[in-house]
Amino acid sequence: MDRRRTPGLSSLTTSRLQTHHYTAHGTALRTRNAETLQTQLSVFQSLLHNFALTHSKDIRANPEFRAEFARMCSALNIDFLASSYHRDSRDAGGKDAGSIWTQLLGGSVNDFYFNLGVLIVEECRATRAENGGLISLADLRTRIQKGRSGILGASLSVSDDDIKRAVHSLAPLGSCFSIMNIGHRSLIRSVPKELNTDQSTVLEAIQLLGYITVSMLQVNLAWERPRAHAVVEDLMADSLVWVDCQAGENEYWSPAFISGGGGGGV
Amino acid sequence: MTSISSLPASSAPSTTTTTTTTAQDTYIFSPIYSFPPFFTLQPNPITRSSQLQSWSAHIQSYCRAHRLFSISLIDALPTPLFTNATLSRALSLRDAKAVVHWMSTKDGGNRAEWTGRKGDVEAAETEGGRAWIYWRRPEEWAQVIEDWVDRTGQRGTVLTLYEVTESDATRREEFWGMEGELLQRCLGVCVKKGKAQIFGGEGSEGVKFF
């Protein structure tokens, strides 16, 4: 009974039947595959859940551990800050949760960064008159650790990494907070102003000695005097440098050196 | 290139002391004190207001640590208050006047006041005379003194002004050594609130708290 060879009308029906069977089988396979993946994903999630729960205290308290955890998450392609903004892609499974992390850690890790973000905004605003809205990461960190430790619980220790993440988490607000690198220092900019090349060059040069003079700019950068003068005046108008008139030639100091440059201990 | 010799680089800022009291030895200046431009009033108004605030905080904490209730600008200029010898930077008389003037305004929180009677005030201001530095304002002092009276159970007793500010009994209090004129003013606040009464004539006054 070899049906395949059967000529005639019935062979048409058979081939349709066959296609149907193949399709059905394919669908079944695909479903099973998806189910397996789903199970794997949920197993993974619950493991991650357990891990995060057992270590949530560490995640909150220990900056190094938090950084490692964050690194692991990003290696797994999970952005645990952004996850609250992309809830659709994340929770394709249909659960009605916000971010995984709000689910897992009761929002504490997310909240940690948002709280830190608020502190950063506060500190930047408080020091804006002094430094023109440009504060070095290290400076900001010591300010936050020293000044406001009461707010997030007594033992608030933050790492530079935390601050960077927190600043990034401020991005969806459309505010102008961003991190910029001048020389080998990271600065947090809280004013919407863009610096032009000359200005960043001067700020970079200031990192070396803590100050700059017009003639230093002329000699080292081969700038014309008016050009050097104009840049410095601009920076001064934005409160990005302070002038010291008692040194013969006017010296222009970066306020970032108020806390770090004197060398003297607190 | 300018020479680097004027840099504060590694020298500790707190070494600028003239040793008279222990407070001076241990007084720690705020970090901004070793920032050279701090001693030049900034032309930019925003920076300037931040700078004035820092100066006000600096002057208040210095005066508190050294128990200074008033300063004479001319005399105080060469002291570490206005002069950082390590950096060889000093606030000029004109700028010091501007700082104290700002402190005496509402913006500065009324943390200073030129001394003297009505007519003399302007003279004091223009010549850089004496000014009260209110690291505690008279109202706050009144409260502190009242608390002390309470704590030591001296309500209803008559105290001489000497007892309040110069006797051994108050040596550990913050208001010990307060100048008579300021004390009068503080007690005046208590009197106004109906919490105290001042007796006696010039030079031998006594005060009684109810």
Side-chain angles (χ1 to χ4, degrees):
Chain A
M1 288 262 277
D2 193 355
R3 284 187 179 175
R4 281 182 210 187
R5 288 218 197 137
T6 327
L9 273 179
S10 70
S11 76
L12 284 176
T13 336
T14 323
S15 80
R16 207 184 306 141
L17 207 65
Q18 262 173 355
T19 330
H20 177 72
H21 276 310
Y22 280 133
T23 327
H25 196 61
T27 324
L29 273 179
R30 215 175 310 140
T31 327
R32 207 182 310 148
N33 225 339
E35 264 168 22
T36 330
L37 273 179
Q38 194 72 51
T39 332
Q40 268 180 5
L41 194 68
S42 62
V43 167
F44 176 69
Q45 273 197 355
S46 74
L47 281 180
L48 204 59
H49 187 160
N50 284 340
F51 180 83
L53 279 187
T54 14
H55 298 280
S56 65
K57 220 178 235 163
D58 290 326
I59 293 177
R60 261 171 291 168
N62 183 348
E64 277 173 45
F65 192 83
R66 187 163 55 235
E68 280 300 306
F69 185 68
R71 215 169 51 83
M72 183 186 82
C73 287
S74 61
L76 294 168
N77 215 3
I78 299 171
D79 183 351
F80 64 93
L81 279 177
S83 53
S84 49
Y85 306 116
H86 306 304
R87 62 177 67 172
D88 301 330
S89 61
R90 193 81 290 133
D91 275 330
K95 285 169 228 148
D96 59 335
S99 115
I100 298 190
W101 299 104
T102 2
Q103 232 184 336
L104 293 190
L105 300 175
S108 51
V109 165
N110 248 339
D111 286 354
F112 172 84
Y113 285 105
F114 292 148
N115 284 344
L116 188 57
V118 172
L119 286 187
I120 290 175
V121 175
E122 278 176 2
E123 279 303 331
C124 286
R125 289 184 65 91
T127 56
R128 196 172 286 174
E130 188 176 286
N131 57 29
L134 210 58
I135 187 167
S136 76
L137 208 98
D139 197 11
L140 185 64
R141 198 185 59 192
T142 41
R143 274 171 183 280
I144 286 177
Q145 279 175 338
K146 199 163 55 179
R148 319 303 297 270
S149 50
I151 290 183
L152 285 186
S155 61
L156 172 69
S157 50
V158 288
S159 65
D160 288 356
D161 186 64
D162 287 333
I163 292 184
K164 278 184 192 159
R165 267 169 217 284
V167 171
H168 286 309
S169 75
L170 293 173
L173 296 176
S175 57
C176 42
F177 284 82
S178 64
I179 292 182
M180 55 190 296
N181 291 308
I182 290 182
H184 46 265
R185 286 158 71 109
S186 296
L187 298 163
I188 288 149
R189 197 192 56 189
S190 57
V191 282
K193 196 178 158 19
E194 289 290 336
L195 295 174
N196 63 34
T197 349
D198 280 5
Q199 287 170 335
S200 357
T201 316
V202 171
L203 285 181
E204 203 173 323
I206 286 182
Q207 313 283 312
L208 294 177
L209 282 177
Y211 70 96
I212 205 82
T213 65
V214 169
S215 61
M216 275 159 80
L217 290 177
Q218 279 180 276
V219 171
N220 291 303
L221 300 170
W223 283 0
E224 299 288 326
R225 192 172 175 81
R227 180 178 177 189
H229 211 77
V231 176
V232 164
E233 287 292 320
D234 275 357
L235 288 174
M236 213 154 69
D238 291 333
S239 329
L240 289 173
V241 295
W242 289 40
V243 63
D244 173 20
C245 301
Q246 296 178 34
E249 190 184 4
N250 282 2
E251 288 175 359
Y252 299 90
W253 287 76
S254 155
F257 276 75
I258 289 178
S259 45
V266 181
Chain B
M1 285 294 279
T2 336
S3 77
I4 322 175
S5 58
S6 61
L7 259 183
S10 57
S11 52
S14 51
T15 49
T16 8
T17 45
T18 49
T19 41
T20 45
T21 63
T22 44
Q24 257 165 332
D25 287 329
T26 51
Y27 182 69
I28 294 164
F29 289 95
S30 71
I32 202 170
Y33 183 74
S34 43
F35 186 60
F38 187 49
F39 297 87
T40 302
L41 273 195
Q42 298 300 307
N44 179 329
I46 299 168
T47 321
R48 191 192 183 94
S49 77
S50 146
Q51 187 188 19
L52 287 170
Q53 241 145 37
S54 305
W55 263 110
S56 168
H58 165 63
I59 293 177
Q60 284 177 52
S61 91
Y62 183 91
C63 287
R64 179 191 294 259
H66 295 77
R67 292 295 176 88
L68 298 171
F69 296 92
S70 70
I71 52 170
S72 147
L73 286 193
I74 302 211
D75 295 341
L77 267 188
T79 67
L81 176 60
F82 290 117
T83 303
N84 184 338
T86 328
L87 299 179
S88 57
R89 294 284 184 281
L91 203 66
S92 69
L93 180 60
R94 195 173 52 109
D95 288 352
K97 264 192 277 183
V99 167
V100 174
H101 175 74
W102 182 81
M103 285 172 74
S104 72
T105 62
K106 213 171 172 197
D107 282 343
N110 301 322
R111 285 290 163 185
E113 190 179 332
W114 300 102
T115 58
R117 297 182 204 291
K118 276 278 178 230
D120 303 335
V121 169
E122 279 137 44
E125 192 171 343
T126 40
E127 286 159 25
R130 286 190 89 73
W132 301 114
I133 301 297
Y134 292 144
W135 37 285
R136 281 189 201 285
R137 300 199 25 75
E139 307 87 85
E140 293 162 0
W141 277 123
Q143 191 59 49
V144 172
I145 295 175
E146 234 177 85
D147 287 348
W148 168 73
V149 169
D150 248 354
R151 209 169 59 233
T152 49
Q154 301 190 80
R155 276 189 193 273
T157 359
V158 179
L159 301 159
T160 61
L161 297 197
Y162 172 85
E163 270 180 286
V164 177
T165 54
E166 278 162 79
S167 69
D168 283 343
T170 55
R171 191 172 284 272
R172 284 167 176 276
E173 303 300 323
E174 275 192 312
F175 49 82
W176 191 79
M178 187 189 275
E179 285 145 62
E181 196 186 332
L182 182 58
L183 179 65
Q184 292 267 8
R185 197 181 289 205
C186 302
L187 294 178
V189 176
C190 298
V191 172
K192 243 187 201 163
K193 284 199 287 184
K195 297 247 175 102
Q197 196 184 347
I198 296 183
F199 306 96
E202 193 78 22
S204 60
E205 293 108 323
V207 62
K208 186 166 130 187
F209 282 83
F210 317 120

